[in-house]
Amino acid sequence: TVSLSVTFKDVTSKTTDNDIPWLALTYRDDEECLMTPRGGEDTEMLLVMFDKSSSELKAYHAMLPSSARSSPAGVAAVYSSMEPLSGRDGYSAVGIVSSSGTSGKGVVASPSSEVSSVGTDVTLQFKRKMGASGVPPVMYLNYAIGNKPELGYHSSRECFSVTKFPLCRGGKGQERGGIAAPKKGMGMLRHVE
């Protein structure tokens, strides 16, 4: 099991209502920095989205089709594949924290869905059970920050790698956290204590 805490730094809104835009984390198979693999496979992604009906930030698991590239059909396919991350097999201890006042574990209600003029930090925390091969030597990831709460084009996207997986405190030798260097728009990935 790997515990990750991913912080999207200084998230700003491009909409007049200042709602937090969608945030995504995708897994890559190798170091090539592509949103979708060259081989045409769909890509596993984790989404943090603001739900206007409940006024909450929620975490989802979805599949990004290789055909997505902002096409209406691709975006519709992502929406149809979305399921709550906390209910997804292999994921646990899902939590969202934002500097606008949210905290805790699970789906957390935000007292303010608005981002401030200086930006809001949003952290997605989760544990992911690794397959039979165990913790990989390197975990290749992308992050993206949308322009608005609804899925569509992203205002920023970067690739990064998690290269160290130290044992978490209190772990029994099977739970590891990931550490990666921060990138523009991305905070430190670290183990969750």
Side-chain angles (χ1 to χ4, degrees):
T1 301
V2 173
S3 295
L4 293 176
S5 177
V6 182
T7 300
F8 297 85
K9 303 286 285 177
D10 300 322
V11 175
T12 56
S13 177
K14 307 247 187 295
T15 64
T16 56
D17 57 8
N18 286 332
D19 284 340
I20 293 174
W22 62 267
L23 308 168
L25 182 70
T26 61
Y27 298 96
R28 294 180 289 127
D29 292 331
D30 56 39
E31 62 189 28
E32 190 171 23
C33 184
L34 299 172
M35 250 336 245
T36 55
R38 286 189 192 282
E41 308 87 36
D42 292 348
T43 303
E44 182 180 9
M45 71 188 294
L46 309 182
L47 288 165
V48 174
M49 297 182 73
F50 178 68
D51 180 2
K52 287 186 183 221
S53 65
S54 66
S55 296
E56 295 178 330
L57 290 173
K58 294 186 177 183
Y60 298 95
H61 179 278
M63 295 304 291
L64 176 66
S66 59
S67 62
R69 307 212 192 271
S70 297
S71 73
V75 171
V78 171
Y79 275 116
S80 69
S81 72
M82 286 173 48
E83 62 182 292
L85 184 58
S86 59
R88 177 75 179 181
D89 190 37
Y91 287 90
S92 61
V94 176
I96 299 171
V97 179
S98 82
S99 62
S100 65
T102 52
S103 62
K105 296 194 183 274
V107 175
V108 182
S110 170
S112 170
S113 65
E114 295 184 357
V115 295
S116 70
S117 59
V118 294
T120 297
D121 293 352
V122 178
T123 300
L124 171 63
Q125 303 167 340
F126 62 93
K127 292 182 180 181
R128 182 177 183 202
K129 186 177 180 180
M130 304 310 288
S133 58
V135 177
V138 177
M139 185 179 282
Y140 300 104
L141 301 162
N142 292 351
Y143 78 89
I145 299 172
N147 288 323
K148 56 187 180 176
E150 300 78 25
L151 284 176
Y153 193 72
H154 46 73
S155 61
S156 63
R157 179 185 75 86
E158 292 286 335
C159 298
F160 62 98
S161 302
V162 179
T163 57
K164 295 179 184 176
F165 295 92
L167 289 175
C168 292
R169 281 189 232 166
K172 298 177 182 169
Q174 295 187 10
E175 186 169 305
R176 296 184 172 269
I179 299 174
K183 296 277 190 180
K184 180 181 176 189
M186 169 64 65
M188 182 66 79
L189 268 75
R190 62 188 184 285
H191 68 277
V192 180
E193 308 213 33

